[in-house]
Each structure stands twice: as C-alpha cells, then as structure tokens.
Amino acid sequence: MAERKNVTVNFYRLESAVDTFYQDMDFKLDALSAGGMDFGFFDGKSCELMFKIFEPITVSDRKLYIVSLIKEKIFLPVWFNREGVVQEAPTEGGSLGDVSYALVDPEKQALLTLSGGFGPSASAFSDFARWLTGDSAAGACPIFINSAYDQVTNWEIFRKLNLSIEAPASDFVGNVLDSEIGENFKMLETLSGLKIDISVSMGHGKGSLHKDAVKNFIRSVMEENYAGKLKIMGKSFEEQQTAELDLYNARLKHKTEIVIAGTHIAPDEAKATLYEAYQLHLDDIDAAYKDFSDEE
C-alpha cells in the first residue's frame, strides 16, 4: 500500500578552494556511472558508508547526478509475527541500513538533499565529495534567501546566539555528540533528554562573543542540519544597531509530499522529487552560483 510522506528538499552550495574540484567531481561521477563502477564504500566522519550512483539526468549540455548513501543501522530492528515470535532481523548476506538521496549539479556547484527522517545527512554527502575528489577541505554550505548567511558571517560583533536542537534518533549520538562541537550538548546524553535549548549572550555588558568560534559553530550546525532554530544577534561595528537573523528560516528549502510505494524511498521516487525541486528553484541556484563566482 502506497504511503504519502512529507519531505523537505534542502539546497546546498558545494565549496572548494581547488580550481578543478567541480570538474573532477563531474568527471569521476560520470566515469564511475558509465564504467559499471556505480557503487562502492568509503569512510565518512564516523562510519563506513556505501554510495550508489544512478542514471544521470541530462540537461542541455551537462549532467545532473542522483547519488544515494547507505549507512548500516547501529541498532537493528527485531523481526516478529502474529504468532508472537520475536527474534533478530535476518541479515544473512548483508546488513540493514538507512538510505538517503541527493542530486548533484557539479557545474552549478549545487547539492540537493532530502530530509524527513531518512539516513545520512548533507555532511555525509560532503564526506563523499571529499573522498571522490581527494579535496579534504571541501564542504557544503546551505543556500540562503537574501544572503542571510553572508550577512551573519560578515559581522564582527556577536551579541547573542539562540539554538534549539532535537535528538530523536540514535544516530545523533554518533554523528553529533561525538563531534568537536558535540561537547556543548553532552547534557542531552547525561540526562537522557531528546531536546535542548541553548542561549548564550553578552548580557548587558559590551563586547562580543568569541567571533571566530561563533562562526565555526554556526557553520558546523548548518552543515550537520540537526537544529530546529538558530537565531543570531550581532552587527558589523559597535555603533551600528544590533540585528537578529534566524538562519534556519532563511535557508532555501522546498517542502513537498512523496508517495512511497514500498518499504523505503525508491531511487525513481527520490529522483522525481529532487529534480522537481531543482527545476522550481533553478533561479535561486543560479543566483547562489553567481554570487559564489563573483566572490572568487
């Protein structure tokens, strides 16, 4: 029986200081796909991941690639039946895993991912891009409406940071709590909580939070994509009026519904959803690409 599920397509801009990064990615994705080597394994930040490349979408004179990442489940579900039998899920010859999909446009330096309770996040696709091209410094930054992220990262003074995060899945422990910035959220694990709200500010005193630390923190939170709220208050110089920006609300995203025919999202289902979002927001993708090119 088909099931309808609400999903969000998130838009990211691939970033690299290496001039040939995007050409290398395009070449290697095409070579792997066409050469019968359309799947394999690589080491992500916290675990081994399997990648699979599907038939690309040809647009004008370039290709858009549909890639899935699969992560083995840490805690396996049980198998049960109507007779009351409960036992370990059969995994002979393989493993159970979580799957997520992305659309990659190397020419426009764009990455579109699906979120809504699926597998590996955008940071895992960044790991894949780094592994694929050999550029260890590459990454992905969300595409924002009205350049909100650029405004915040250009501030020199940070007065307040409000963050709300939820940890409904066990993956949060391995992916976030064990990361460098995860030390800030250890109380969740200590108290067995699932949600935490953090507010850090300068209070009534003058000055700024640690500028570089705040910028690194913001980038990590946005890349991992686990927060529900991230509001920043700051300004460019002391005499300027303090502004507040909600970076999560400012992200470019596309909410839609996907019909799942089986027990998981099939490649064709993900492909149709991602490509539709790509077409609807191509102007925003082009604008982000132009802004990034102008910076260079």
Side-chain angles (χ1 to χ4, degrees), residues 236-249:
S236 297
F237 50 90
E238 193 62 56
E239 292 74 20
Q240 188 180 37
Q241 184 176 355
T242 301
E244 180 181 74
L245 285 174
D246 185 339
L247 289 184
Y248 260 70
N249 281 338

Side-chain angles (χ1 to χ4, degrees), residues 26 49 79 137 151 192 195 228:
D26 191 13
L49 295 163
W79 181 90
Q151 291 181 53
S192 299
K195 185 175 185 294

Side-chain angles (χ1 to χ4, degrees), residues 67-238:
V67 179
S68 73
L69 296 183
I70 300 173
K71 176 174 61 177
E72 185 177 359
K73 294 183 74 68
I74 300 174
F75 301 105
L76 300 183
V78 296
W79 181 90
F80 70 100
N81 64 17
R82 291 292 176 180
E83 282 68 52
V85 177
V86 180
Q87 63 185 40
E88 291 184 1
T91 57
E92 293 183 9
S95 299
L96 296 177
D98 293 315
V99 61
S100 56
Y101 297 88
L103 182 152
V104 183
D105 183 347
E107 182 173 307
K108 293 188 181 293
Q109 302 162 20
L111 170 72
L112 279 65
T113 68
L114 284 174
S115 65
F118 308 116
S121 64
S123 63
F125 285 99
S126 295
D127 290 341
F128 174 67
R130 287 189 282 266
W131 170 82
L132 186 69
T133 62
D135 180 6
S136 60
C141 176
I143 295 175
F144 292 89
I145 301 169
N146 299 327
S147 303
Y149 182 80
D150 293 334
Q151 291 181 53
V152 169
T153 53
N154 283 327
W155 284 346
E156 294 295 318
I157 298 171
F158 292 90
R159 297 290 299 164
K160 188 175 183 178
L161 182 149
N162 279 326
L163 174 74
S164 177
I165 61 175
E166 295 189 26
S170 59
D171 292 344
F172 186 90
V173 176
N175 292 348
V176 179
L177 292 186
D178 292 341
S179 67
E180 182 179 350
I181 65 170
E183 293 293 327
N184 299 282
F185 316 129
K186 285 295 184 182
M187 186 178 291
L188 275 175
E189 194 172 38
T190 303
L191 302 180
S192 299
L194 293 177
K195 185 175 185 294
I196 187 170
D197 294 285
I198 297 176
S199 179
V200 183
S201 74
M202 293 301 297
H204 297 295
K206 290 186 176 181
S208 170
L209 301 172
H210 191 295
K211 180 180 68 174
D212 293 335
V214 169
K215 290 182 180 182
N216 289 334
F217 182 84
I218 290 171
R219 182 179 181 85
S220 296
V221 170
M222 297 307 297
E223 182 174 305
E224 295 290 348
N225 194 32
Y226 55 77
K229 177 180 71 176
L230 181 58
K231 290 184 178 180
I232 314 294
M233 293 181 67
K235 49 191 173 182
S236 297
F237 50 90
E238 193 62 56

Side-chain angles (χ1 to χ4, degrees), residues 8-28:
T8 300
V9 179
N10 303 293
F11 297 76
Y12 295 87
R13 185 180 69 195
L14 293 164
E15 296 180 331
S16 172
V18 178
D19 292 339
T20 60
F21 172 81
Y22 309 103
Q23 292 88 342
D24 289 345
M25 177 177 289
D26 191 13
F27 173 78
K28 291 182 178 180

